[in-house]
Amino acid sequence: MTKDIYILGIETSCDETAVAIIKNGQDIVANVVASQIESHKRFGGVVPEIASRHHVEQITLVLEEAFAKSELSWDDITAIAVTEGPGLVGALLVGVNTAKALAFAKQKPLVGVHHIAGHIYANQLQQPLMFPLLALIVSGGHTELVIMKAHGQFEVIGETRDDAAGEAYDKVARMLNLPYPGGPMIDKLAHEGQATIDFPRAWLDPDSFDFSFSGLKSSVINTIHNAKQRGEQLENADIAASFQESVVEVLTKKTYDAAIQYDVSQVIVAGGVAANKGLRTSLTKAFEHTNIPLAIPPIHLCTDNAAMIAAAGTIAYEQGKRAGMDLNANPSLPLEQ
Ligand code: KG4
Ligand code: ZN
């Protein structure tokens, strides 16, 4: 009988302090997330210095809670996986240094994980990945289409040229005086309104899988200002519905076209914006008439968590990847390496 592999994952790249323990790369034994959203809300976005301080305060508590929930001890842990980048450098450093200290003190192997690889591997906690696959990653910092031909191999075929999808959501939410994070609020409002405003869709070059959301964001600002000058009052719900329709239409069409062109065996969606109900519905509709299975993780695995880092870390561990005590936070770590 082969021995079970238990990977302890640590994630602190943005505003969630998270620790998880995963068995054999797919079973969640413990998954603890301490969100800092309340602390950043009054500033309308994540304040890096505040994020780092919160991570320092929370990391030990979250670690203890993960062990308490798992009913495991350090003897059971095979290795430690930690997000090394990309993200906020001060925030990443808390996770990386915690992981290094634990690896040294407990004499465990250490594995560095790319945050986006983590988001992709959140899907592995639901079902095995099938290659070649296409991943649409949509988060606060990333909008990417990635082809994977095997575990741990990533080829970026499209990415945003300006704002990330989640960033556009958060900025438009701010214009509508909605609290941070704006994505869930706009998603909710969008379902209460009608897409009556014809916002632009940035298709870019016909065969490009790149994205652009800054023109859409400017168009939303201009529409709101122009209406104000004319003394008209636009419904926030209609602005949200129209904005969401534009984002979702572009994300869906480019994902669909890429899946057909690359003849993939599976399409997976990852990142905080994958929690969006409009996007989930639209992608489901687009792929239901194809023979390409679509996988979208449950909402709590779409937003930042450490279970996804431990899942990606298990693959890296099995592939023999190891980090040394010189592991450093890398805020712009590339995915393809
Ligand atoms: O992956 P994530 O938790 O953190 C990053 O790595 O960035 O993604 C956070 C982003 C935020 O921009 C948030 O507004 C967005 O995901 N988001 C949503 C929804 N839930 C979270 N955007 C649209 N609709 C949602 N339901
Ligand atoms: Zn993320």
Side-chain angles (χ1 to χ4, degrees), residues 80-96:
I80 301 169
V82 63
T83 308
E84 57 173 311
L88 303 168
V89 68
L92 287 163
L93 275 170
V94 178
V96 167

Side-chain angles (χ1 to χ4, degrees), residues 77-242:
I77 302 297
T78 315
I80 301 169
V82 63
T83 308
E84 57 173 311
L88 303 168
V89 68
L92 287 163
L93 275 170
V94 178
V96 167
N97 284 318
T98 303
K100 286 202 289 191
L102 291 171
F104 180 73
K106 307 291 180 188
Q107 289 298 298
K108 302 286 177 186
L110 180 64
V111 181
V113 173
H114 191 286
H115 182 75
I116 296 303
H119 273 301
I120 293 173
Y121 275 91
N123 284 277
Q124 174 115 324
L125 298 165
Q126 299 299 115
Q127 70 244 74
L129 303 184
M130 292 183 280
F131 303 111
L133 67 75
L134 172 70
L136 168 68
I137 297 109
V138 269
S139 73
H142 292 263
T143 307
E144 276 158 30
L145 279 167
V146 173
I147 293 285
M148 284 180 75
K149 294 190 176 135
H151 280 301
Q153 282 182 15
F154 308 94
E155 183 196 343
V156 179
I157 59 162
E159 61 195 334
T160 185
R161 294 185 186 172
D162 38 61
D163 292 350
E167 198 179 348
Y169 264 95
D170 295 337
K171 285 178 179 168
V172 167
R174 218 185 297 185
M175 285 173 227
L176 301 181
N177 294 318
L178 300 172
Y180 174 85
M185 302 296 293
I186 293 205
D187 193 11
K188 188 166 167 280
L189 258 188
H191 289 86
E192 295 163 11
Q194 300 291 326
T196 48
I197 309 159
D198 190 18
F199 288 131
R201 274 82 169 138
W203 299 114
L204 307 175
D205 330 323
D207 43 1
S208 167
F209 293 121
D210 280 351
F211 300 94
S212 165
F213 294 105
S214 70
L216 170 60
K217 180 189 66 190
S218 307
S219 179
V220 176
I221 301 178
N222 292 339
T223 304
I224 296 172
H225 283 180
N226 292 345
K228 242 188 210 157
Q229 277 172 348
R230 289 196 302 268
E232 288 171 20
Q233 181 64 42
L234 294 173
E235 288 295 330
N236 270 2
D238 292 343
I239 298 172
S242 309

